[in-house]
Amino acid sequence: MEKDRFCIDAKSVMERIDENTICVGAIMGTTFTGACEPVKEINDLLVQVKENKGLDIPIHVDAASAGFILPFINPQLEWDFRLPQVRSINVSGHKFGLVYPGVGWLIFKNHTDLPEDLIFYVNYLGDTMPTYTLNFSRGSGMVLAQYYNLLHLGQSGYTNVMNNCMDNARYLANKLTDSDIFELVNNLELPIITFRFKNTPDFTPFQLSQKLRERGWMLPAYNLPDNTDDMTVMRVVVRETFSRDMAETFYADLIKAYQILNETEKEHLKPNVSPRRGHHVT
Ligand SMILES: *Cc1c(COP(=O)(O)O)cnc(C)c1O
């Protein structure tokens, strides 16, 4: 990340690749801001590198968050197997796949993209079973839940749910910017709102988040990583269950917490009345 960009870009990929590069990783829906990285641009650049230098560098897309959103709300956006260098994609079922933890998917474009040595063949109870997992026995409830949702909601159901998440996210984002207290840090490609103070109040986002806990909300407040670590942001992830009503309540509680902190700070700043100073106005 840099001051003016919170994502990797094609230029910074170009500066880092050479004949030893085994893969370029790009993220659709970064943890820090919920931004989508320019996979198509990176793909086009790697296609050129392939033609000019003979280096065939694949892309892995970490679509943990966006993998269950973009195909429904923005199907034209190319970041997936439509791009020739994209060879594998992961997505978390327990995020926008609408299933409880922990189910995630790792999809390879072709059989040949998963090296044969990584597959473990076991002869188990009379049948040979290929497996590519880190552990063997685990519950399958979330797999069934995912399967149920895929069948029950289908393409149109997921599209409705994701459009609704987007509408609620836009609604809350507009309220935040209209308040004149906050400004957005990302541009809402996904139902993930990252925002910060527009001005500099006498308290931090950490204190605001702490105050909001009194009302039962857990609002993540955190610094961005290296090069941008002087920036503290807050993040709201709008999922299926975060309804318009909840957005209203959350917003009201957020503003209330802000106002209480603002007034408390003002009290403290008044000369001679602060209880911390140990004396009173005569
Ligand atoms: C959540 C997340 C992960 C981890 O995925 P899990 O399925 O929860 O293990 C990886 N990358 C990104 C960008 C994420 O948002």
Side-chain angles (χ1 to χ4, degrees):
M1 286 191 183
E2 298 295 342
K3 294 264 175 277
D4 56 345
R5 86 177 150 75
F6 300 141
C7 281
I8 199 164
D9 59 9
K11 185 173 156 287
S12 51
V13 168
M14 198 57 193
E15 289 162 6
R16 285 167 172 81
I17 55 173
D18 62 20
E19 68 281 6
N20 295 315
T21 307
I22 58 168
C23 182
V24 172
I27 308 172
M28 295 307 272
T30 64
T31 309
F32 288 109
T33 67
C36 292
E37 299 194 319
V39 181
K40 177 146 180 29
E41 237 177 87
I42 297 169
N43 171 81
D44 294 352
L45 187 129
L46 291 176
V47 167
Q48 267 180 23
V49 168
K50 191 172 169 180
E51 280 167 11
N52 300 340
K53 299 190 188 164
L55 301 174
D56 187 1
I57 302 175
I59 300 174
H60 171 76
V61 182
D62 178 349
S65 285
F68 265 105
I69 304 171
L70 290 173
F72 305 108
I73 65 165
N74 193 357
Q76 292 81 26
L77 186 69
E78 290 179 52
W79 56 273
D80 48 19
F81 294 136
R82 282 170 286 184
L83 304 175
Q85 294 310 107
V86 174
R87 314 303 300 184
S88 57
I89 298 172
N90 68 282
V91 54
S92 307
H94 55 245
K95 290 182 180 172
F96 288 88
L98 311 176
V99 176
Y100 48 84
V103 64
W105 312 99
L106 172 60
I107 308 166
F108 293 90
K109 183 166 185 175
N110 292 320
H111 231 265
T112 49
D113 291 312
L114 175 60
E116 188 64 27
D117 339 352
L118 292 179
I119 307 173
F120 179 52
Y121 290 92
V122 284
N123 191 316
Y124 200 63
L125 301 180
D127 202 3
T128 303
M129 205 170 83
T131 168
Y132 173 54
T133 52
L134 297 177
N135 55 1
F136 196 73
S137 301
R138 56 188 301 190
S140 56
M142 66 281 177
V143 176
L144 294 178
Q146 180 77 79
Y147 190 40
Y148 173 78
N149 269 349
L150 291 173
L151 288 178
H152 153 78
L153 292 169
Q155 177 107 17
S156 62
Y158 270 94
T159 303
N160 283 342
V161 171
M162 298 310 153
N163 278 328
N164 197 45
C165 291
M166 264 329 277
D167 285 349
N168 287 337
R170 274 190 217 101
Y171 179 79
L172 178 58
N174 285 339
K175 283 182 91 78
L176 291 171
T177 46
D178 288 349
S179 72
D180 232 30
I181 295 173
F182 304 105
E183 63 184 9
L184 299 194
V185 171
N186 64 345
N187 55 8
L188 226 61
E189 295 156 281
L190 302 171
I192 298 173
I193 309 166
T194 315
F195 59 104
R196 61 175 171 177
F197 288 143
K198 195 167 172 185
N199 299 316
T200 35
D202 295 317
F203 50 90
T204 64
F206 301 106
Q207 288 168 296
L208 181 62
S209 172
Q210 192 67 36
K211 190 79 198 154
L212 257 185
R213 278 190 186 222
E214 291 173 14
R215 305 286 302 160
W217 298 104
M218 296 230 287
L219 173 70
Y222 49 96
N223 289 343
L224 295 183
D226 295 354
N227 301 338
T228 46
D229 52 1
D230 54 348
M231 197 194 277
T232 310
V233 301
M234 293 156 279
R235 190 187 79 168
V236 174
V237 176
V238 178
R239 298 211 319 170
E240 186 192 20
T241 50
F242 193 86
S243 63
R244 189 69 61 104
D245 279 2
M246 276 176 84
E248 293 282 6
T249 314
F250 168 76
Y251 179 76
D253 288 343
L254 179 71
I255 296 298
K256 188 85 195 150
Y258 181 92
Q259 285 165 347
I260 292 170
L261 287 178
N262 224 5
E263 277 153 29
T264 317
E265 283 306 315
K266 274 198 201 110
E267 281 303 307
H268 284 163
L269 292 173
K270 271 187 208 158
N272 298 335
V273 294
S274 164
R276 282 192 212 135
R277 293 171 198 240
H279 58 263
H280 300 276
V281 182
T282 48

